[in-house]
Amino acid sequence: MVKETGYYDVLGISPTATEAEIKKAYYMKARQVHPDKNPNDPQAAENFQVLGEAYQVLSDPAQRAAYDAHGKAGVSTETMIDPAAVFAMLFGSELFEDYIGQLAMASMASFEMFTEGEQIDTRKLQEKMKAVQKEREEKLAQILKDRLNQYVQGDKEGFIQQAKSEVQRLNSAAYGGNMLQTIGYIYARQAAKELGKKAIYLGVPFIAEWFRNKGHFIKSQVTAATGAFALLQLQEDMKRQLSTEGNYSEGDLEAYLQSNKELMINSLWKLNVADIEGTLSHVCQMVLQDNTAKKEDLRARAKGLKTLGKIFQKVMLIFLH
């Protein structure tokens, strides 16, 4: 018997739910009640907050045991991470789906959720993820071609105005500014690289762009590895600092989690940045090296993409003025 079922009711599950059932319920409900999806509902933020709180308690075995035994009075909300940040790190934002698709971490999570109870074959999982990624890139390439068409057709002013209104809309999402700057950087760099190719006679600009592009890509891979390592390191530090002779209090655990919240969020963000960069680099290549398009249209696409990238990168400046 559990003391109270409030958190279970919020997620729509029973107190006997498995870890996978809790994750699946959160994934489904969070997408329904997310404030991004319900901009006209004043209760949306509060509902999302409650849902995030329920998930963070029930997905942690120690917190769940304390909740089952003592109800809400038995758990602490001091160590909780902002639900909007948690959701953005795990699943991205629906507002950005036309730009980055579903993040690889979200695809992996949903695939694991819907194969609960089955023995997961690593090779099959890799094949599935590869197919999902291919579909993601093809869909994003088509959306980007359609978006750039306004510029290609000659309506440059309308294209710029549309881009600026997009910045305003997207900046409201959790990590919106970070996402816009990341997307903008890749768009501008990939476009500059393509435009540089056509000006080989200039020599230096193209080579300079190539090195700048490669340098950033290598750096982002290192950053992603650092993110994964930081999470593992955090777990190891926790064990080492708190398990000495096994005599640590709940207060010690809370203090440690509280002081490392930022590190956990940043580590997840770094992993997502590498996924976004890798995906969008392929998408831009598909759009700018499309052998079904005319050469002059490809060049116009590259110029439009560079313009869009620069506008996205100026997100902070737009909102400061």
Side-chain angles (χ1 to χ4, degrees):
M1 281 289 288
V2 296
K3 171 97 173 171
E4 57 188 67
T5 62
Y7 283 150
Y8 292 102
D9 297 340
V10 165
L11 288 166
I13 53 176
S14 80
T16 58
T18 63
E19 194 179 326
E21 284 168 344
I22 291 168
K23 195 190 278 186
K24 181 177 175 181
Y26 172 67
Y27 179 73
M28 304 298 280
K29 283 195 174 282
R31 287 177 78 89
Q32 288 168 13
V33 304
H34 198 289
D36 288 357
K37 209 166 183 181
N38 302 278
N40 301 317
D41 181 0
Q43 287 294 304
E46 192 183 326
N47 293 339
F48 187 68
Q49 188 80 18
V50 171
L51 190 69
E53 189 179 301
Y55 173 69
Q56 286 188 61
V57 169
L58 299 182
S59 62
D60 177 331
Q63 287 268 67
R64 184 181 181 183
Y67 176 71
D68 288 349
H70 310 289
K72 265 194 177 183
V75 298
S76 167
T77 56
E78 290 299 308
T79 58
M80 286 190 189
I81 299 167
D82 173 20
V86 172
F87 189 86
M89 293 306 91
L90 291 174
F91 307 118
S93 166
E94 289 207 351
L95 286 184
F96 279 91
E97 279 201 359
D98 281 353
Y99 289 91
I100 60 172
Q102 181 169 271
L103 293 171
M105 278 208 289
S107 298
M108 182 79 80
S110 56
F111 185 68
E112 284 173 1
M113 285 175 217
F114 295 108
T115 54
E116 188 202 347
E118 295 175 24
Q119 188 65 39
I120 294 179
D121 182 321
T122 311
R123 192 172 57 80
K124 266 174 90 173
L125 179 61
Q126 284 175 339
E127 283 172 9
K128 170 79 175 169
M129 290 301 293
K130 204 172 175 182
V132 166
Q133 181 65 10
K134 184 174 182 286
E135 190 181 325
R136 174 189 180 191
E137 289 175 5
E138 286 171 353
K139 185 181 174 187
L140 291 175
Q142 188 54 56
I143 291 170
L144 186 54
K145 283 178 195 175
D146 294 343
R147 183 170 284 120
L148 292 170
N149 200 43
Q150 187 178 11
Y151 188 97
V152 174
Q153 296 300 317
D155 182 11
K156 293 176 186 178
E157 195 51 47
F159 178 82
I160 289 167
Q161 287 311 312
Q162 176 64 24
K164 285 181 178 175
S165 68
E166 276 293 86
V167 167
Q168 204 152 5
R169 184 178 73 90
L170 297 168
N171 193 53
S172 64
Y175 279 76
N178 301 63
M179 290 262 203
L180 281 164
Q181 287 187 319
T182 300
I183 294 165
Y185 182 92
I186 301 153
Y187 280 179
R189 280 280 162 262
Q190 289 294 323
K193 196 171 77 163
E194 277 311 303
L195 291 166
K197 264 186 192 172
K198 312 294 181 288
I200 279 175
Y201 59 88
L202 293 172
V204 178
F206 169 56
I207 297 298
E209 283 298 342
W210 189 88
F211 272 111
R212 279 161 78 180
N213 184 275
K214 284 289 177 194
H216 186 74
F217 179 73
I218 291 162
K219 192 176 164 192
S220 77
Q221 295 302 299
V222 171
T223 304
T226 308
F229 179 74
L231 279 178
L232 293 171
Q233 194 63 44
L234 186 65
Q235 291 170 3
E236 288 307 309
D237 287 351
M238 220 164 176
K239 283 179 193 169
R240 193 164 51 249
Q241 288 195 28
L242 299 176
S243 326
T244 316
E245 300 170 19
N247 57 353
Y248 61 88
S249 68
E250 281 188 28
D252 294 334
L253 181 62
E254 281 183 20
Y256 191 86
L257 285 171
Q258 185 68 31
S259 65
N260 286 280
K261 273 202 296 192
E262 284 303 309
L263 175 59
M264 291 175 78
I265 292 177
N266 288 338
S267 298
L268 287 168
W269 172 245
K270 284 175 183 177
L271 292 171
N272 281 341
V273 166
D275 170 34
I276 293 167
E277 289 204 9
T279 299
L280 292 196
S281 294
H282 290 153
V283 167
C284 291
Q285 284 162 22
M286 288 163 78
V287 169
L288 302 178
Q289 296 169 15
D290 178 6
N291 56 20
T292 65
K294 295 176 186 170
K295 279 188 179 180
E296 57 267 31
D297 286 350
L298 288 178
R299 188 162 179 79
R301 275 184 194 173
K303 286 182 176 177
L305 190 64
K306 192 169 185 179
T307 301
L308 186 59
K310 295 285 185 191
I311 292 169
F312 278 13
Q313 280 183 290
K314 287 176 185 166
V315 57
M316 299 308 176
L317 293 174
I318 288 171
F319 284 92
L320 284 172
H321 292 90

